[in-house]
Amino acid sequence: MRGPRITRRDFCAGLAVGAALGRPGMAAGSAPLTARPAVVQLAPEGYAATEVWSYDGTVPGTTLRAKQGARLTRQLVNDLPEPTSVHWHGIRIDNAMDGVSGLTQDPVPPGGTFEYDFVVPDAGTYWYHSHTNSMEQVARGLAGPLIVEEPDAPDVDRDEVLMLDDWLLDPDTGAFAGDFGNPMMQSHAGRMGNLIGTNGRYDLSLPVQRHARLRLRLINAANARIFVLRLDGLEGWTVALDGMPLPAPEPVTGDLILAPAQRIDLMVDVTAAEGAIAGLVRQANDDTWQALVDMPVSGAASLARRGVPAPLAPNPNMALPDLKAARQLEMVMEGGAMSGLRNARFNGRELGFRELVQEGQFWALAGQVGMDDTPFASLSRGEAVRLRLSNRTVFAHAMHLHGMHFRTIAADGSLGPMRDTILSLPDEPIDIAFVADNPGKWLLHCHMLGHAASGMTNWIDVS
Ligand code: C2O
Ligand code: CU
């Protein structure tokens, strides 16, 4: 008599049980996200590989996807040699899950774990990255895309996530070059890479068909680089900024500016002829345009070009702040090289610029260098805020507010699209407005991560 044979079904079920038992104490449904060293080929073939710090072994980390309104659960496992934490950039999140070590959680020590568990209320393009020693950890590779899917996906042939980044590498060894806390870089424009790439590759190529419609989700994960981009052989529309849908798609006519941490969702139609190379090009320092993502065209997806894409469905809670009732605040941004910053508060003491430099600090937000026990502003939940960002430095800064999106206020008082990160240029004050509707402690900082680490970090309290 033949005994029962193990079926493939049993075998797989057995595997699943084994996997679930793998790590004790793991929350139900929580897949681990492991921060760990890995060796990846960032530089072109023929050059040495790079030892990075990664999520699950790749740079960028795996694209995490969740349905709008769903719960996302991930257990962070720290297999790095130093403490870490994960920030879910742009998610209007429960404050306890925001991942800012020293403000919303304790850093996770080497060998430790943390259960991230939160709802993703808004559809769109977001990302996750380390928020502990982030100037170094993000530069070493600890970042990945986070996509929150619309209940009804827009009609496109393909949906492509493009995470733009740069790496500063020693071409001989493949190792990260320079010290991450380099004072020269921190006090100027920041750490710029000598190798620029997309999705961890310097030469990303996406074959496309003529007249195909693609959704491109651009994410800038670089520490300091502002990408200036153009479409080549593509007709495009911007449909969302920093995750939030625009009321109507806007045709792309000129340059697309993508500051650190910003996202742009584009709908593009391939207009280049078969055999041509379409794609994304970027402006280099010498003002030439260089290929960033190649899209070789072969075959045709349809016979003719399509019409203007439909707008994405609005996210919940896109209410306009009431500017008349808004509390008025100003945040002066000062410091850096060639700045004339005289003095600012650091660790509860008023220090002169020289003393600050000795402490490795170069920048101040509202007279404060780095985090203090007292927030920049204490807001009541639901309060409308009008905040002027006055850039008195000679550098550009990518100012990011955690936990809430804001709108820019134009000179005529009209409100711009919702964003979570805004590029601030010298001597061009920006007025932003938001409703402080998410309780908790929220960072407001420059996303040029060397700037943030050397003074440009402050916070607000909403209670
Ligand atoms: Cu992308 Cu403070 O974060
Ligand atoms: Cu900055």
Side-chain angles (χ1 to χ4, degrees), residues 87 89 127 129 131 261 400 402 443 445 447:
H87 171 57
H89 184 117
W127 63 301
H129 63 79
H131 220 303
H400 169 47
H402 284 217
L443 282 191
H445 68 92
H447 222 289

Side-chain angles (χ1 to χ4, degrees), residues 177-378:
D179 52 332
F180 292 94
N182 182 296
M184 191 58 130
M185 291 178 187
Q186 286 189 339
S187 60
H188 289 73
R191 183 182 170 92
M192 300 287 173
N194 53 358
L195 184 67
I196 295 173
T198 306
N199 295 352
R201 298 191 54 112
Y202 83 101
D203 62 349
L204 184 69
S205 178
L206 299 173
V208 293
Q209 291 180 303
R210 183 148 204 249
H211 296 311
R213 171 162 287 177
L214 289 78
R215 178 180 189 165
L216 302 181
R217 303 171 180 266
L218 311 182
I219 306 171
N220 184 352
N223 269 44
R225 181 177 299 274
I226 301 164
F227 283 93
V228 180
L229 305 166
R230 279 191 192 163
L231 303 178
D232 188 17
L234 305 171
E235 178 179 27
W237 295 264
T238 302
V239 292
L241 294 172
D242 295 348
M244 296 295 177
L246 300 184
E250 281 177 13
V252 177
T253 48
D255 299 349
L256 293 163
I257 314 280
L258 193 65
Q262 289 186 325
R263 285 90 64 216
I264 301 177
D265 278 48
L266 299 173
M267 295 290 182
V268 301
D269 291 353
V270 179
T271 50
E274 288 180 45
I277 295 186
L280 211 53
V281 295
R282 65 167 192 95
Q283 191 174 38
N285 287 342
D286 60 3
D287 276 356
T288 58
W289 292 86
Q290 299 188 351
L292 183 66
V293 180
D294 278 345
M295 299 183 183
V297 186
S298 66
S302 69
L303 290 175
R305 54 206 292 179
R306 310 177 193 197
V308 178
L312 298 174
N315 278 323
N317 187 11
M318 295 185 77
L320 296 168
D322 175 4
L323 294 182
K324 285 198 206 78
R327 168 131 155 227
Q328 308 249 357
L329 297 168
E330 183 180 21
M331 175 174 269
V332 175
M333 305 152 62
E334 298 172 283
M338 302 163 278
S339 73
L341 172 66
R342 288 231 194 79
N343 51 275
R345 259 184 339 276
F346 179 60
N347 286 342
R349 291 195 303 143
E350 197 71 24
L351 297 184
F353 191 62
R354 274 177 170 225
E355 293 167 292
L356 289 170
V357 168
Q358 276 160 15
E359 301 278 354
Q361 302 295 320
F362 306 102
W363 309 91
L365 292 177
Q368 170 68 37
V369 177
M371 295 262 295
D372 187 62
D373 291 345
T374 318
F376 163 68
S378 293

